[in-house]
């Protein structure tokens, strides 16, 4: 997989339309986009914005000790988040993704956060897709697909009430995990919302 698709950019009316579909303010949806991906779904090479999560790759390979050891030896997997810094720049991220695909493609794709909403591949069903490959292909096609993945995830993960109420801490906990406060994720969301409201 070369991770290049049509890379269609979002049209101005798509954010308000999808926000309306799920019953949230457009400014609230824009806030999540701004914090997650600076509002951009593709890198300069036309690939979906992506972040390879080495601790997820570790979990995904637990049932395959040989592949797990290969990933650990290559520095692509470790048991806990934050053991090493993320690589700098999209090319470095995609180099990791491609190396991980060389070990186990499905596990690698499940271990990446994709697109505008940075939805983890292992959440493909919550994002409204049948397979992680479908999710990645759709993310490669357009930012509108990426936004739909994010909206579907928010609904499926039970985070719609928090986003509608602008309960930024509650939303951040569910969307970004229990360590959200460490990076002031909720504060960033509130600030971004205030900018767009």
């Amino acid at each position: 997989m070369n991770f290049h698709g049509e890379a269609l950019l979002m049209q101005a009316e798509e954010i308000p339309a999808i926000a309306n579909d799920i019953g949230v303010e457009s400014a609230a949806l824009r806030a999540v986009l701004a914090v997650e991906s600076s509002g951009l779904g593709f890198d300069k090479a036309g690939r979906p914005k992506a972040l390879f999560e080495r601790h997820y790759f570790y979990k995904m390979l637990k049932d395959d000790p040989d592949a797990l050891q290969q990933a650990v030896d290559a520095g692509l997997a470790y048991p806990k988040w934050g053991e090493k810094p993320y690589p700098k720049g999209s090319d470095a991220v995609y180099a990791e993704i491609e190396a991980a695909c060389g070990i186990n493609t499905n596990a690698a794709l499940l271990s990446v956060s994709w697109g505008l909403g940075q939805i983890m591949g292992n959440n493909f069903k919550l994002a409204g897709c049948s397979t992680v490959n479908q999710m990645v292909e759709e993310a490669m096609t357009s930012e509108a697909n990426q936004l739909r993945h994010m909206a579907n995830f928010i609904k499926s993960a039970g985070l719609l009430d928090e986003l509608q109420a602008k309960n930024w801490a509650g939303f951040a906990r569910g969307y970004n995990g229990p360590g959200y406060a460490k990076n002031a994720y909720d504060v960033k969301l509130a600030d971004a919302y205030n900018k767009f409201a």
Side-chain angles (χ1 to χ4, degrees):
M1 184 176 282
N2 69 13
F3 301 105
H4 289 89
E6 291 182 72
L8 300 172
L9 300 179
M10 192 143 28
Q11 301 302 305
E13 68 275 2
E14 289 174 313
I15 293 174
I18 291 175
N20 186 58
D21 286 349
I22 64 171
V24 299
E25 288 179 51
S26 181
L29 205 53
R30 286 182 194 277
V32 179
L33 295 174
V35 172
E36 283 296 327
S37 62
S38 303
L40 302 170
F42 295 102
D43 67 11
K44 290 178 183 172
R47 300 168 297 199
K49 278 229 177 144
L51 189 59
F52 181 68
E53 299 283 1
R54 299 173 192 137
H55 64 293
Y56 268 84
F57 196 46
Y58 188 94
K59 289 178 203 171
M60 296 297 145
L61 294 176
K62 279 221 166 204
D63 293 334
D64 185 347
D66 292 337
L68 177 59
Q69 190 59 55
Q70 185 181 356
V72 168
D73 291 347
L76 295 170
Y78 43 75
K80 285 177 25 187
W81 177 82
E83 288 190 23
K84 295 180 185 174
Y86 289 114
K88 299 281 187 208
S90 193
D91 288 340
V93 169
Y94 271 97
E96 282 198 346
I97 294 169
E98 289 169 7
C101 284
I103 296 170
N104 182 315
T105 301
N106 194 60
L109 298 180
L110 292 169
S111 303
V112 176
S113 55
W114 296 102
L116 285 166
Q118 290 294 281
I119 303 300
M120 287 297 300
N122 71 322
N123 288 317
F124 66 87
K125 288 182 183 175
L126 294 177
C129 298
S130 300
T131 66
V132 69
N133 283 4
Q134 177 190 354
M135 183 177 166
V136 174
E137 293 286 340
E138 289 180 3
M140 290 169 18
T141 300
S142 72
E143 287 180 335
N145 286 344
Q146 296 173 18
L147 183 58
R148 279 188 211 91
H149 294 158
M150 186 180 97
N152 289 338
F153 176 79
I154 289 168
K155 286 190 310 188
S156 299
L159 298 172
L160 199 50
D161 289 346
E162 284 85 355
L163 190 57
Q164 289 168 331
K166 294 173 278 307
N167 172 357
W168 301 119
F171 180 81
R173 187 179 307 103
Y175 197 90
N176 206 252
Y180 74 91
K182 185 177 182 179
N183 295 315
Y185 189 78
D186 55 331
V187 175
K188 291 175 186 174
L189 285 168
D191 290 347
Y193 171 78
N194 290 332
K195 178 181 151 193
F196 293 119

